[in-house]
Amino acid sequence: MPVNPRILYPLLRPTVHAIRWLPLAAGAALGLAIVLVPEALTDKLAVAHLVYLLRIAAACLALGAAFLLDDPATRSTPAVPTPRLARNLVRVAVAVPAIAVWWVATLVLAGAMAHRPHSTHLPGGALTVEAATLVCAALALAAIAQRLTTDGGAGVFAAPAVLVLVAATWFLPRAVALSTLPDDPHWTASHHRWAVLLAAAAVTFLAASHERARRSGRSPVAAGHR
Amino acid sequence: MTAVALAEAPAVDATAPRRAVVALARVESVRLLRHPLTVAATLFLLGLWASTWFANEVNHFPVLQDVDRDSDLGMMLLLGSAALIAGNLAVLRAHRDGTAHLGQVLILRPRSRTLAHLLAVVPVAGFGAVLILVRIAALVLFTPAVGRPNPYELAIGPATVLLLGSLGVLLGRLTRSAIAAPLVLLALLASLVVLPLLTQGGSAQWLQPVVGQGDPAFPDPVPAALMARPAAAHLAYLLGLAGLLAVAALGRGGRSRRVAVAGVLALALTVTGTVLQLQPPSRAALAARATALNHPSRQQTCRRLETVTYCAFGDFTGWIPEWNRVVQAVLAQVPASARPVSLAVRQRVLVLGRNDSVSAGLGDVWRADDAAAGTPEAVSAGTRWGDSASTVDLAVLVALRAVGGGPVACGGPGVLVAWLAGQVSAQARTGLRLRVQHPDDRGVPSFGQPVFGAGVPQAEVTVALAALALPTATVAARVQQSWSTLAAPGTTVAQAAQILGVPAPAGSEGGSCR
């Protein structure tokens, strides 16, 4: 069903109130602590350890993002004219700036607090691709959960599923490994694979949010009449 | 009428709450075991254990006293995480479905419900124990595994599942948010990355749930009697911690004497386990390590197979037929007149001192021990087997014994030693090739441990590798014919290459030969 973009602007402010920010804030806070506290405790952290800690922080954020699509009013919204895809995109548009700011802040702080030889070697761009893929995968899983559940509890399904995906990325065989280290010859190739997964996650999110047309014969009056 | 009805009122069944707890625990445990997370964790765990077989050839000859601790980390990360999150979701289910108020009119109080959730984690831990036992049984039955697993070490994996499951139930009682358990799990993972750096292999590392690293004093596997890992104390520590978490989850429902007593017991168990596991290895264990390092003959049993005596630690005697295969393959190409009269192969372990050092007089001590045991000039074997490095090490040392000469074999003897070692198997050839690519500090490919090891310079090994590319029968015939020339110390590399029928190496470098 085509959507008139002008109806989405009034949705922005109520969506900010409707989103459950607590899980996202908790995930972001824990992720930041995971990166900063070890650096304060010991100076023996190598680039490999920082990469692992940043990956865990990205996973924390993805867990928080899995709760972005939670909506206790799900049972009353099938009747509204705004499609679910549009509502989900508004939620994502509201939350993504906050997520991006947090990630950049974490990378900058990790680099600043890391000890001299390592701060210049943190592969920020590659880790950003990985973090973006995890967040996108969390949103895709939450969208799938929206199709499967009727009580609006998408996060309860999506958060453990995100952890299963993260575990899967650690246990892949070497030829298609995703969790490599910067000095590994497969580093660049693995990040091409991450980019492919990012695209796949985005497409899954869009496909899962899309509501099927309930009836095949649509009245031509209903389309575009707002 | 009313009096009759009152007189006939049935007595309340005092055991009803206990039976209800058990019934609820049974239902919840079935749901936990069937949960998609548990199924996924089990599949990942089995896949991980199966993949170790293909990751490294050394794993085809597993040492069971190392396999037991390797299994624990995977079990904690996978099955323990599943117990944590699924257990947490089970406690939160009533809040999610809006039936928390309905639960209040049933006969079970919240504390009893929590107890049922805690009991439901026990079958998951039992399932973990079954998985570990199946793995050990599969290794014992289908592979040439040696050694003995420590039963306390095997129990540590299921104990961590119990610990994480109790943590999940506690988190469910503390907060209704479903994100708490996954975040706690990720914090635990981050601590596993950082804690080894903070503790640096000292005894404080035993405060972690699972210590997957071995003792830094042992670079290679060692007999189980020398390991002195405080596995029993660590198991007590983990069970005590699980008990404390369980008591914390139960204590939310108000005071109860039974819960308080259980809490005191759990605390006592935790403190005892902590104190015992932080102790350094006992004096008896340190003395046993010193004996194993300096006088291994006192702890080993010997077997004689076809003119060769093999001496190994009790745990590793299962590998003697494998060693024999390699030794006989080398000796088969040596002319009968040149074969050593009494050849012995003795297994040795390295116990590193401070700063990873080995004492300087170790060679003399080993020589004296060999002479006292009646196996002079024994060839050293290690505690690893199955990969190309261990095969080529043993083959080179035996070939050097047959050809004669000092620890560095140059010229003709060097080519001969390298060829004898390489013709044993394709694995030995791979080992030779890898040693040429990774020589020691002086640039000489070295074989065996630094004490009683051997070196063969690169030019000699390259010629031997070229000879190994030719048909074995042809080269073997040439070797048998010209044995005395090849084994003479004065023969140069170029002459040896000519005898074997391969092109001589470009440039003559005699500098690496001493």
Side-chain angles (χ1 to χ4, degrees):
Chain A
M1 195 184 291
V3 172
N4 190 344
R6 276 185 300 178
I7 66 162
L8 295 180
Y9 293 125
L11 271 182
L12 285 175
R13 219 168 126 172
T15 307
V16 172
H17 289 295
I19 287 180
R20 282 179 62 189
W21 291 105
L22 189 56
L24 193 61
L30 182 69
L32 203 56
I34 280 177
V35 172
L36 296 183
V37 166
E39 292 192 33
L41 285 180
T42 170
D43 57 355
K44 296 191 191 67
L45 284 178
V47 173
H49 297 114
L50 283 175
V51 165
Y52 283 135
L53 290 176
L54 279 168
R55 281 188 176 136
I56 295 178
C60 289
L61 187 69
L63 282 179
F67 289 82
L68 276 178
L69 300 183
D70 270 13
D71 187 4
T74 303
R75 286 202 182 93
S76 54
T77 47
V80 307
T82 315
R84 193 171 63 202
L85 175 58
R87 283 181 269 132
N88 284 353
L89 284 175
V90 169
R91 285 186 173 226
V92 168
V94 165
V96 157
I99 292 177
V101 163
W102 173 88
W103 176 251
V104 168
T106 308
L107 272 184
V108 164
L109 282 174
M113 281 194 64
H115 298 269
R116 196 56 51 194
H118 304 309
S119 55
T120 49
H121 292 146
L122 265 184
L127 288 174
T128 307
V129 170
E130 292 185 22
T133 311
L134 283 181
V135 169
C136 217
L139 290 170
L141 287 167
I144 293 175
Q146 276 183 327
R147 294 188 94 109
L148 297 177
T149 63
T150 54
D151 60 353
V156 171
F157 170 86
V162 166
L163 284 180
V164 171
L165 278 185
V166 169
T169 61
W170 286 341
F171 290 120
L172 286 173
R174 271 210 47 77
V176 290
L178 284 177
S179 68
T180 51
L181 287 173
D183 49 4
D184 193 319
H186 292 280
W187 174 258
T188 317
S190 76
H191 283 86
H192 294 152
R193 291 192 279 267
W194 276 108
V196 167
L197 286 178
L198 175 60
V203 167
T204 312
F205 170 71
L206 293 173
S209 304
H210 180 69
E211 276 167 311
R212 293 190 301 274
R214 306 259 170 187
R215 272 176 273 280
S216 51
R218 276 205 310 261
S219 131
V221 178
H225 169 71
R226 287 295 159 256
Chain B
M1 198 104 108
T2 319
V4 171
L6 280 177
E8 287 179 0
V12 172
D13 191 347
T15 62
R18 203 174 306 148
R19 279 187 289 141
V21 166
V22 169
L24 183 59
R26 202 168 51 224
V27 167
E28 287 295 337
S29 66
V30 167
R31 290 192 74 136
L32 268 186
L33 286 171
R34 257 186 2 198
H35 199 274
L37 280 180
T38 313
V39 172
T42 310
L43 291 175
F44 273 129
L45 192 57
L46 293 176
L48 177 69
W49 286 347
S51 73
T52 58
W53 178 264
F54 301 101
N56 191 338
E57 284 167 325
V58 167
N59 294 327
H60 293 211
F61 292 83
V63 180
L64 291 177
Q65 50 256 32
D66 288 345
V67 168
D68 55 10
R69 75 158 182 267
D70 290 338
S71 311
D72 290 336
L73 188 64
M75 175 151 294
M76 178 181 79
L77 288 180
L78 290 171
L79 204 58
S81 313
L84 172 69
I85 297 179
N88 184 51
L89 288 178
V91 174
L92 294 180
R93 198 186 311 125
H95 295 293
R96 277 207 313 279
D97 295 344
T99 58
H101 298 293
L102 291 178
Q104 289 178 350
V105 303
L106 301 175
I107 62 171
L108 281 187
R109 290 166 305 172
R111 173 182 285 146
S112 307
R113 299 190 147 262
T114 311
L115 180 61
H117 283 293
L118 287 169
L119 288 177
V121 179
V122 174
V124 183
F127 178 58
V130 165
L131 285 180
I132 282 196
L133 289 176
V134 163
R135 183 188 193 198
I136 300 284
L139 287 176
V140 166
L141 289 175
F142 299 120
T143 67
V146 295
R148 295 168 286 146
N150 186 340
Y152 296 114
E153 201 83 61
L154 291 176
I156 283 178
T160 56
V161 173
L162 213 53
L163 176 67
L164 288 176
S166 312
L167 181 60
V169 174
L170 173 63
L171 286 173
R173 296 284 288 157
L174 285 178
T175 163
R176 284 191 210 168
S177 175
I179 201 178
L183 285 183
V184 163
L185 178 64
L186 287 179
L188 181 67
L189 284 175
S191 72
L192 286 182
V193 171
V194 172
L195 278 179
L197 290 175
L198 291 177
T199 59
Q200 308 239 303
S203 46
Q205 68 180 341
W206 286 98
L207 295 174
Q208 289 173 274
V210 169
V211 177
Q213 311 92 285
D215 201 315
F218 301 131
D220 283 336
V222 289
L226 302 181
M227 283 172 72
R229 278 169 71 90
H234 193 64
L235 182 65
Y237 165 72
L238 288 177
L239 291 176
L241 272 185
L244 283 177
L245 290 175
V247 161
L250 292 171
R252 308 254 322 147
R255 293 186 198 287
S256 153
R257 203 170 49 176
R258 268 188 277 184
V259 171
V261 166
V264 167
L265 284 176
L267 187 61
L269 196 61
T270 312
V271 168
T272 317
T274 314
V275 166
L276 285 179
Q277 72 186 356
L278 292 179
Q279 306 287 327
S282 67
R283 232 177 313 186
L286 291 175
R289 289 183 189 180
T291 312
L293 173 64
N294 296 318
H295 308 282
S297 59
R298 293 186 200 160
Q299 294 181 352
Q300 291 176 341
T301 52
C302 295
R303 253 170 76 178
R304 194 170 165 80
L305 285 174
E306 297 177 44
T307 76
V308 184
T309 311
Y310 296 93
C311 297
F313 291 98
D315 286 342
F316 293 88
T317 49
W319 285 348
I320 289 180
E322 303 288 331
W323 294 343
N324 193 42
R325 252 184 338 110
V326 171
V327 172
Q328 297 301 334
V330 172
L331 292 181
Q333 301 294 343
V334 178
S337 53
R339 280 186 202 155
V341 172
S342 64
L343 181 59
V345 174
R346 184 174 290 285
Q347 190 176 41
R348 302 198 202 275
V349 291
L350 268 187
V351 179
L352 300 177
R354 249 167 246 162
N355 306 325
D356 297 345
S357 63
V358 177
S359 73
L362 195 56
D364 299 325
V365 172
W366 280 356
R367 215 167 281 127
D369 175 62
D370 276 341
T375 57
E377 292 188 39
V379 167
S380 301
T383 47
R384 256 187 230 279
W385 189 253
D387 57 350
S388 57
S390 40
T391 313
V392 80
D393 282 349
L394 183 62
V396 161
L397 291 175
V398 170
L400 191 61
R401 208 45 185 86
V403 169
V408 181
C410 301
V415 175
L416 187 56
V417 161
W419 180 83
L420 280 173
Q423 56 86 27
V424 165
S425 64
Q427 232 185 3
R429 270 198 292 286
T430 314
L432 275 183
R433 227 173 290 130
L434 288 173
R435 287 299 158 84
V436 170
Q437 288 166 5
H438 303 284
D440 68 0
D441 302 331
R442 295 171 302 166
V444 176
S446 62
F447 303 88
Q449 290 156 357
V451 183
F452 286 4
V456 181
Q458 263 177 330
E460 281 81 331
V461 178
T462 318
V463 169
L465 283 172
L468 286 166
L470 301 175
T472 317
T474 330
V475 182
R478 290 179 195 156
V479 163
Q480 297 273 328
Q481 243 181 341
S482 332
W483 177 269
S484 36
T485 324
L486 282 171
T491 318
T492 64
V493 179
Q495 290 171 331
Q498 196 183 23
I499 295 177
L500 293 179
V502 294
S508 58
E509 43 163 305
S512 54
C513 257
R514 280 183 250 299

